[in-house]
Every structure is written in C-alpha cells, then in structure tokens.
Amino acid sequence: MEKTQARIGRRFQGKVAIVTASTQGIGFSIAERLGLEGASVVISSRKQNNVDEAVEKLKGKGIEALGVVCHVSNPQQRKNLIDVTVQKYGKIDVIVSNAAVNPSIDPILLTKESILDKLWEINVKASILLLQDAAPYLKKGSSVIFISSIAGYSPESSMAMYGVTKTALFGLTKALAKEMAPDTRVNAVAPGFVPTHFAEFLTKTESIRTSLEEKTLLNRLGTAEDMAAAAAFLASDDAAYITGEILVVAGGVQSRL
C-alpha cells in the first residue's frame, strides 16, 4: 500500500464515504483507498472489536474514520449507520455496498430454503434497503458502488447460488442507474479471485490456487488493493460520465464479449 499511497491523488477531498463490511479484505482496502484520497470514511461490520481495530488502523494512516456496528440485515442498524454518518459529517457522497455471505457450497437444488433466504437477504435485499435509507442524503454528484463478482457471469458449482445473487447485482446496477439518475451514478465492480478470508476455501489449497491463477491472463490472483483502485475510480469524478456499468477486475478471466 506504500507504493499506492505514493502515487494516488486526492480525488475525495471533502467527501464522505460509507463502506459496508469494511473491517477486513476488499471492504477495508476500499475504505483505506478512499480515505488516503481524502475522504472521511465510515466503516462497519457486525462486531464492535473488529470495527474498533479497523478504525485505529485507518487513523494510523492519517485517515478521518468513523466506525459503526452494522449487520446489514438489521433494519435499526442500517438506519443507524446512515443517521450517525449524517449527524457526524452532514452528508453522504459515496456508498460502497460490499456485504455478502456464502454460507453453503451445496448445489442450488439441494440448498435449504433458510440458506436461500440468507443469501438473498444479505447479498441483494440489504443493499436495496440501505439505499432506501440513504437516498434522501445522496445529492448531485454522488456515487453508489456495488461489489459483485466474476461469479455473477458464470457461477462456479461450489458457489452457484452466491453467483446468482451476484448476477442480481448486475441487474440492480442497471435498474438503479436509471432510477437514481441524473444526480447519483450507480456502478458495480466484479472482482475475480482474490485470496481474502472470505475466499479462503478456494485459495488455501495450492493446487486449486494454481488452477485459478492459470485461468487469468496475468497469471496471478487479484488483490484487495486491485479492487479498491477500481472502486475508487468508479466512485470518483474521473468516472463522471459512467453509470449503469459493471467493471470486471479479474486479470483477464473470461466474463463476456
């Protein structure tokens, strides 16, 4: 991140960004990148200890950061995330919806109804409900970023229903880009394989990791920083004429024509 810090600008100076599920992995890296570029960042996750530790890390880098406990499926905690942000900073310029779960590796037709409900609730529905709370505060020039997945284009058998929910985010991106125009731009990042804790079941085995690397044209897995750079671009004024788009960040893994 030191090299990144040396070359980035200050595209988010004076702006306020909320990033959900942001105490580790891709979410934390996005919050860090936005903060290094000048944003006041509001991070969140389910556990107070994780929130506190992440805030301290960000502040240690000179970033203005606020941490709020928020399980995105909890209506009161979602509303509180928005309310606390507005009370503290007076506005919201960027929302990055990153929270997701993948509680099962069962085939779709063998997945329990409770698991289907959880996948839909966390990966799709919560993003909609969070934006319903936030929409009154998103003014002209604001930006929404959904963190989807390359799995949304071609769901892997071990994460098929997860992939389907990520496909739904593509549609949600298109629909909300129309609905929230012209004041708010809505885009999505579709990460490839990134060896975070969330994807550990895929990347901890050397043979599987190697096969995933070989699927890319760049012969490596992605990093959380790769995803953060893409999200920051889409959220910034450098992407002022981009909305309703999905940016695949997957090292050349086949996704679409």
Side-chain angles (χ1 to χ4, degrees):
M1 180 55 73
E2 287 75 13
K3 291 181 180 178
T4 299
Q5 189 168 355
R7 70 173 183 262
I8 64 176
R10 302 286 287 180
R11 294 179 293 186
F12 297 96
Q13 194 70 44
K15 294 191 175 184
V16 177
I18 294 174
V19 186
T20 64
S22 47
T23 57
Q24 61 181 355
I26 291 173
F28 180 82
S29 286
I30 292 172
E32 182 180 34
R33 178 63 184 256
L34 297 177
L36 289 173
E37 292 207 40
S40 298
V41 293
V42 181
I43 64 168
S44 65
S45 73
R46 293 175 296 171
K47 298 180 180 179
Q48 186 71 58
N49 286 345
N50 293 346
V51 170
D52 293 342
E53 289 176 8
V55 167
E56 286 307 305
K57 289 179 184 177
L58 294 173
K59 287 185 174 180
K61 293 178 179 289
I63 294 169
E64 167 61 32
L66 173 66
V68 180
V69 171
C70 180
H71 193 311
V72 294
S73 67
N74 183 305
Q76 289 75 31
Q77 290 185 10
R78 280 195 310 267
K79 186 175 185 302
N80 183 61
L81 176 62
I82 301 302
D83 289 347
V84 168
T85 300
V86 174
Q87 288 165 12
K88 171 81 171 178
Y89 298 113
K91 63 174 183 172
I92 303 169
D93 297 293
V94 176
I95 294 181
V96 181
S97 186
N98 176 61
V101 295
N102 184 27
S104 172
I105 59 172
D106 291 332
I108 291 174
L109 296 184
L110 295 178
T111 300
K112 295 178 180 178
E113 183 175 0
S114 60
I115 298 297
L116 294 174
D117 289 342
K118 185 174 184 178
L119 280 160
W120 173 257
E121 184 174 12
I122 303 296
N123 295 8
V124 184
K125 180 181 171 183
S127 292
I128 299 170
L129 295 176
L130 180 67
L131 287 178
Q132 288 181 355
D133 289 334
Y137 306 104
L138 292 172
K139 305 304 181 185
K140 188 171 182 62
S142 57
S143 179
V144 172
I145 309 293
F146 295 116
I147 305 304
S148 183
S149 172
I150 190 75
Y153 286 106
S154 182
E156 297 283 336
S157 58
S158 61
M159 50 199 299
M161 196 60 213
Y162 167 85
V164 171
T165 64
K166 293 301 188 174
T167 308
L169 289 183
F170 297 159
L172 187 61
T173 299
K174 300 289 187 182
L176 286 180
K178 293 179 181 178
E179 187 170 320
M180 301 180 79
D183 290 344
T184 301
R185 296 182 300 105
V186 183
N187 293 290
V189 175
F193 300 107
V194 181
T196 60
H197 176 71
F198 182 84
E200 188 178 23
F201 76 102
L202 282 174
T203 58
K204 66 181 178 180
T205 303
E206 187 66 29
S207 60
I208 297 177
R209 183 185 177 112
T210 299
S211 70
L212 293 176
E213 289 172 343
E214 290 173 348
K215 287 184 178 181
T216 73
L217 298 181
L218 301 181
N219 199 33
R220 70 170 177 88
L221 300 185
T223 67
E225 290 77 17
D226 290 328
M227 308 309 138
F233 164 68
L234 286 176
S236 78
D237 289 341
D238 285 339
Y241 200 52
I242 300 174
T243 193
E245 297 294 344
I246 294 93
L247 177 56
V248 177
V249 189
V253 172
Q254 180 66 39
S255 58
R256 54 187 171 177
L257 289 176

